[in-house]
């Protein structure tokens, strides 16, 4: 089965920004998914060059417009390559072999079928939009998008009889509800077409930059009419009938919500007029905002997608865009959120899981595992695979990504439950140990296969470490997402895939520096100290801090927690200050009393890391050790290690600590170990 999908083609008057990249990356995920699912896939992208803005931009730079477009093609293709966008074909509307004959053929066909007539146009024309603007759309006489005064233009134009297609289009939408997705776009278009359609200009007079109208060589085809034809032109329309028969109609056009109507109204009407089969579906995606604002040059808030790709490779950005923005809706990008998701999903969750499997397999079994029967994890994997498939077939990329990550979290939990490090201590449990490692590795293999369309090079690397180095193009969804209960794997332990992004290191925390009694520190309510650099630094130096070590004398906030904040600390902290404290959910694996201590329990906790960590917590007066085992609690994970009574404590347990009362450990059930708390 064939699957032909396209993105919008881009004006080349500026470099691609994150919004442009969003469309290409999400389309690429769909294309890669279709290839994995076994479709003969053709993925088309391109540049829209017959724009007056492009022409002007070239003139400003003193360049020949075609030479300028050649340069920009290299810029665009370079960005797409660096974002790992796997387009099969790239068309330019200045392509004389493909796009010129196709455009002229379609214009002629519409003309021959009586749908193009001569008229004259008079009205406001916005150069930025390259569109005529009805008076009612102007705000104080200006284009609301460009905030410029449009020109009054009167010229001879050829018109396309769009009005004739109102009823056929409504019939199309009714008979084929999936023609426009998502629902919100479909409703917009329905209302628009039900309100009646006006004929549209399909030519511009007196211009040289464009494709001559075949029945009036003095005019060029209007850029919008010209641009839409690229989808048919690329696959042979007007120049290779056999190729055209193979790929046309397109199964899916992916476009931004602002141009959905051109693709759902004008384009199918043009195809009807030219007696060609209609595309299968138009998907109108939303916009990516930056801190809640539309990215624009005038606001100076353009995000260059290569900034993210250069620092972390393309995959973390691809994952963020697919997973954090429900496909079809609008989303937001901020560097803070990007880094936070990177740490949570990649450093702590997936990257950690891969590391844990590899390092434990290496340590306990020389890197070899034999597949076993598959237990609870196999069932979770099969649910994740089914959910992923349904989501991806419906272009719900965010749900697809979430399904893969459910399996990853389940595998991390499975490690916490089976405790391979304990099994490894008992030679009689070798089979169980192998089984636990094998099931986890198999879950990772399936999750990596599901993530392959979203994070192609990372998935390839994970699969390679799991002993399978076939290229992605040789993998098939059904065969490669089925749980394997036989066979051996040689696992490669090759280090961290995604090192954590650390916020700039603040000065060390107040509590770490405070001369507190050995028995108290690891306890109690978060001295979640404000490591805001200047204040905490002052506290650490603290010539004027008589209270620094005297926790009981520190001011007590209303409510239980006691925060021994040094007097020079600011009254409030910023969210950035707060985010420097890495709070995580952790599951208590073991707990015991510290000999000779009334207050301290020694806990071994799983914080979703390669190894369990040891924390001394001053909660022994409130909790029996047995009561703590199995609880999921909240810890400060980035507290500097401290030695107490000869034992190194790595972190701190958070508890509400009423004055003179018993500590109440914070409960993070049912969060997965390693989940960030904030
Ligand atoms: Zn405008």
């Amino acid at each position: 089965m064939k699957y032909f999908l396209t993105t919008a083609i881009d004006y080349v008057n500026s470099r691609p920004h994150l919004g442009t990249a969003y469309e290409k990356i999400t389309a690429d995920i769909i294309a890669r998914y279709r290839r994995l699912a076994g479709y003969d896939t053709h993925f088309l992208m391109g540049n829209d060059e017959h724009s007056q803005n492009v022409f002007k931009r070239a003139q400003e730079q003193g360049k020949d417009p075609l030479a300028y477009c050649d340069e920009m093609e290299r810029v665009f293709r370079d960005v797409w390559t660096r974002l790992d966008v796997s387009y099969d074909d790239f068309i330019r509307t200045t392509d004389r072999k493909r796009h010129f004959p196709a455009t002229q053929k379609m214009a002629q066909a519409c003309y021959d079928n009586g749908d193009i007539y001569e008229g004259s146009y008079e009205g406001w024309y916005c150069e930025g939009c390259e569109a005529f603007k009805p008076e009612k759309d102007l705000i104080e006489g200006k284009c609301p998008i460009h905030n410029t005064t449009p020109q009054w233009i009167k010229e001879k134009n050829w018109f396309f009889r769009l009005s004739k297609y109102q009823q056929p289009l409504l019939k199309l939408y009714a008979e084929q509800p999936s023609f426009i997705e998502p629902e919100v776009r479909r409703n917009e278009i329905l209302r628009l077409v039900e309100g009646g359609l006006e004929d549209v200009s399909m030519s511009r007079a007196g211009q040289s930059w464009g494709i001559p109208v075949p029945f009036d060589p003095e005019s060029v085809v209007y850029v919008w009419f010209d641009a839409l034809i690229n989808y048919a032109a690329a696959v042979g329309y007007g120049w290779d009938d056999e190729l055209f028969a193979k790929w046309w109609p397109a199964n899916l056009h992916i476009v931004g919500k602002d141009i959905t109507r051109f693709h759902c109204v004008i384009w199918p009407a043009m195809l009807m007029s030219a007696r060609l089969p209609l595309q299968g579906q138009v998907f109108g995606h939303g916009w990516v905002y930056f801190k809640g604002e539309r990215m624009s040059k005038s606001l100076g808030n353009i995000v260059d997608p290569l900034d993210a790709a250069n620092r972390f490779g393309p995959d973390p950005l691809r994952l963020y865009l697919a997973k954090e923005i429900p496909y079809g809706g609008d989303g937001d990008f901020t560097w803070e959120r990007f880094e936070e998701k990177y740490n949570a999903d990649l450093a702590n969750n997936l990257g950690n899981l891969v590391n844990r499997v590899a390092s434990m397999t290496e340590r306990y079994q020389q890197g070899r595992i034999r597949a076993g029967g598959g237990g609870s994890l196999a069932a979770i994997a099969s649910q994740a695979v089914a959910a992923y498939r349904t989501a991806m077939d419906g272009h719900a990329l965010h749900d697809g990504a979430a399904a893969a990550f459910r399996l990853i979290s389940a595998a991390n939990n499975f490690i916490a439950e089976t405790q391979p490090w304990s099994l490894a201590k008992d030679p009689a449990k070798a089979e169980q140990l192998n089984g636990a490692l094998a099931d986890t590795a198999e879950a990772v293999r399936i999750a990596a296969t599901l993530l392959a369309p979203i994070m192609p090079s990372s998935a390839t690397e994970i699969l390679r470490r799991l002993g399978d180095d076939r290229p992605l193009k040789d993998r098939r969804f059904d065969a490669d997402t089925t749980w394997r209960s036989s066979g051996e794997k040689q696992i490669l332990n090759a280090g961290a895939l995604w090192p954590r992004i650390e916020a700039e290191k603040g000065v060390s925390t107040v509590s770490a520096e405070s001369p507190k009694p050995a028995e108290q520190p690891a306890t109690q309510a978060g001295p979640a100290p404000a490591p805001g650099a200047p204040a905490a630094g002052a506290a650490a130096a603290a010539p004027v801090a008589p209270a620094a070590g005297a926790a009981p004398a520190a001011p007590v906030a209303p409510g239980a927690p006691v925060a021994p904040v040094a007097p020079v600390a600011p009254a409030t902290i910023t969210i950035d200050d707060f985010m420097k404290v890495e709070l995580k959910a952790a599951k208590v694996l073991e707990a015991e009393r510290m000999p000779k201590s009334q207050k301290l329990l020694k806990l071994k906790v799983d914080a979703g890391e390669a190894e369990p960590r040891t924390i001394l917590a001053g909660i022994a007066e409130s909790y029996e050790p047995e009561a703590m085992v199995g609880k999921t609690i909240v810890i400060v994970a980035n507290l500097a290690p401290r030695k107490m009574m000869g034992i190194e404590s790595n972190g701190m347990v958070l508890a509400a600590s009423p004055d003179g009362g018993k500590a109440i450990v914070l409960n993070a059930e049912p969060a997965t170990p390693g989940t960030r708390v904030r």
Side-chain angles (χ1 to χ4, degrees):
M1 273 222 287
K2 70 98 183 165
Y3 198 87
F4 174 30
L5 75 160
T6 70
T7 64
I9 54 176
D10 298 307
Y11 282 154
V12 293
N13 42 343
S14 57
R15 293 176 56 84
H17 57 73
L18 187 67
T20 331
Y22 175 61
E23 175 173 293
K24 313 310 172 195
I25 286 172
T26 52
D28 183 60
I29 292 169
I30 295 172
R32 288 176 181 274
Y33 167 68
R34 292 287 164 170
R35 291 189 199 112
L36 182 65
Y39 288 83
D40 184 9
T41 302
H42 191 65
F43 174 26
L44 172 70
M45 299 189 351
N47 282 349
D48 188 357
E49 301 178 337
H50 283 141
S51 149
Q52 285 304 307
N53 291 321
V54 171
F55 186 75
K56 267 200 229 149
R57 196 65 205 262
Q59 282 189 322
E60 280 165 22
Q61 299 188 7
K63 286 174 183 156
D64 168 67
L66 199 56
Y68 171 78
C69 291
D70 289 346
E71 261 172 43
M72 292 307 280
E73 181 197 12
R74 286 192 291 276
V75 170
F76 274 68
R77 282 188 185 248
D78 176 55
V79 172
W80 304 144
T81 302
R82 289 163 75 186
L83 295 174
D84 228 348
V85 174
S86 63
Y87 56 86
D88 297 297
D89 188 11
F90 194 91
I91 189 161
R92 298 171 50 185
T93 54
T94 51
D95 182 335
R96 288 185 172 261
K97 179 182 159 279
R98 304 195 288 173
H99 193 70
F100 272 59
T103 301
Q104 293 196 319
K105 180 172 176 172
M106 188 164 289
Q108 188 69 49
C110 297
Y111 179 77
D112 292 345
N113 293 329
D115 287 338
I116 290 179
Y117 63 92
E118 193 172 20
S120 81
Y121 191 91
E122 197 169 350
W124 296 109
Y125 186 84
C126 171
E127 287 187 354
C129 297
E130 298 207 44
F132 291 101
K133 292 276 169 184
E135 188 98 37
K136 68 176 167 56
D137 289 356
L138 303 179
I139 293 175
E140 292 174 356
K142 289 182 173 177
C143 166
I145 299 169
H146 294 94
N147 199 28
T148 51
T149 307
Q151 282 177 283
W152 184 260
I153 280 184
K154 184 177 181 183
E155 66 180 34
K156 185 193 79 173
N157 269 184
W158 292 92
F159 284 83
F160 176 67
R161 222 179 278 283
L162 185 62
S163 57
K164 178 178 148 183
Y165 290 94
Q166 184 194 20
Q167 289 312 318
L169 286 168
L170 290 173
K171 187 160 170 277
L172 166 70
Y173 308 151
E175 287 173 355
Q176 205 180 311
S178 65
F179 185 78
I180 310 166
E181 284 194 349
E183 185 80 20
V184 54
R185 303 281 113 75
R186 183 179 143 76
N187 294 336
E188 284 164 16
I189 298 294
L190 268 177
R191 276 198 301 277
L192 178 85
V193 177
E194 281 166 356
L197 293 172
E198 284 178 23
D199 295 346
V200 291
S201 167
M202 61 75 65
S203 73
R204 296 295 313 277
Q207 290 182 359
S208 58
W209 184 238
I211 300 177
V213 174
F215 41 86
D216 174 15
E218 297 297 296
S219 297
V220 295
V221 177
Y222 185 29
V223 65
W224 276 109
F225 196 89
D226 163 328
L228 288 164
I229 298 169
N230 89 85
Y231 306 125
V235 292
Y237 181 67
W239 60 275
D240 185 339
D241 293 343
E242 205 180 315
L243 187 67
F244 189 59
K246 176 178 179 192
W247 291 111
W248 195 258
N251 298 71
L252 175 64
H253 293 315
I254 295 168
V255 298
K257 63 180 183 180
D258 49 334
I259 56 171
T260 310
R261 66 192 182 93
F262 288 91
H263 289 79
C264 296
V265 181
I266 302 179
W267 179 228
M270 287 164 65
L271 291 168
M272 287 181 199
S273 175
R275 316 272 198 271
L276 291 174
L278 309 185
Q279 78 270 28
Q281 187 177 84
V282 177
F283 190 93
H285 64 76
W287 283 335
V288 183
Y289 292 86
F290 179 70
K291 295 184 176 173
E293 281 182 324
R294 184 100 204 259
M295 277 175 239
S296 78
K297 260 198 221 157
S298 51
L299 287 171
N301 63 352
I302 301 274
V303 175
D304 185 339
L306 294 186
D307 286 347
N310 290 343
R311 281 173 68 195
F312 311 107
D315 286 351
L317 178 66
R318 291 174 60 105
L319 178 67
Y320 181 94
L321 295 175
K323 183 164 173 281
E324 301 310 317
I325 304 173
Y327 202 40
D330 293 329
D332 201 35
F333 179 93
T334 65
W335 284 104
E336 292 76 15
R337 181 135 173 84
F338 172 76
E339 294 183 0
E340 186 188 308
K341 297 311 294 184
Y342 170 103
N343 280 341
D345 288 336
L346 295 174
N348 294 350
N349 202 358
L350 178 57
N352 217 6
L353 177 63
V354 172
N355 262 355
R356 292 174 103 183
V357 171
S359 61
M360 289 192 289
T361 308
E362 182 180 61
R363 186 173 319 156
Y364 305 139
Q365 312 199 141
Q366 294 77 49
R368 286 206 75 75
I369 44 177
R370 299 173 310 282
S376 57
L377 259 191
I380 293 169
S382 106
Q383 285 162 9
V385 168
Y388 174 93
R389 177 141 225 181
T390 306
M392 297 300 279
D393 283 343
H395 316 313
L397 311 184
H398 52 293
D399 288 337
F405 271 86
R406 278 202 298 280
L407 178 55
I408 292 160
S409 298
N412 265 321
N413 278 334
F414 182 76
I415 293 179
E417 282 158 21
T418 52
Q419 303 194 20
W421 49 89
S422 304
L423 298 173
K425 287 178 193 153
D426 183 353
K429 291 181 175 162
E431 266 314 299
Q432 262 175 282
L433 172 62
N434 174 71
L437 294 174
D439 280 5
T440 312
E442 182 60 5
V444 177
R445 188 190 65 76
I446 291 174
T449 306
L450 298 182
L451 287 174
I454 301 170
M455 304 198 296
S457 56
S458 306
T460 304
E461 173 60 12
I462 292 170
L463 291 165
R464 184 183 77 85
R465 293 182 182 194
L466 294 175
D468 179 352
D469 57 6
R470 287 172 302 151
L472 290 181
K473 68 175 175 52
D474 292 347
R475 298 174 189 272
R476 286 297 166 266
F477 190 85
D478 290 330
D480 282 294
T481 58
T482 303
W483 189 273
R484 292 175 188 161
S485 46
S486 64
E488 282 202 10
K489 288 188 177 92
Q490 179 69 39
I491 309 233
L492 196 66
N493 185 14
L497 283 162
W498 297 284
R500 278 186 63 86
I501 304 172
E502 301 291 351
E504 287 101 278
K505 293 253 188 287
V507 179
S508 60
T509 56
V510 173
S511 65
E513 300 290 327
S514 302
K516 296 182 78 183
E519 285 214 346
Q520 252 186 346
T523 70
Q524 329 296 43
V544 291
V556 180
V562 177
V565 176
V568 289
T572 60
I573 60 171
T574 67
I575 187 75
D576 290 341
D577 290 335
F578 172 72
M579 292 307 284
K580 286 175 191 161
V581 182
E582 193 191 333
L583 301 176
K584 274 184 173 183
K587 189 165 189 165
V588 180
L589 304 172
E590 292 167 16
E592 58 186 84
R593 287 187 181 278
M594 283 288 284
K596 297 184 201 145
S597 167
Q598 293 288 311
K599 292 183 178 164
L600 287 179
L601 285 189
K602 179 178 152 198
L603 305 178
K604 190 185 260 189
V605 304
D606 173 14
E609 296 151 338
E611 299 271 308
R613 54 163 91 198
T614 300
I615 298 180
L616 301 183
I619 52 174
E621 290 172 325
S622 312
Y623 292 89
E624 291 303 320
E626 308 81 65
M628 288 303 297
V629 175
K631 270 191 195 300
T632 301
I633 59 175
V634 180
I635 64 165
V636 178
N638 59 345
L639 194 64
R642 278 172 302 170
K643 231 174 185 172
M644 286 179 282
M645 309 183 75
I647 304 278
E648 188 178 89
S649 177
N650 284 283
M652 177 170 67
V653 172
L654 292 196
S657 311
D659 262 349
K662 291 189 168 182
I664 304 153
V665 171
L666 299 189
N667 176 18
E669 267 340 312
T672 307
T675 305
R676 182 94 194 238
V677 176
R678 54 180 180 261

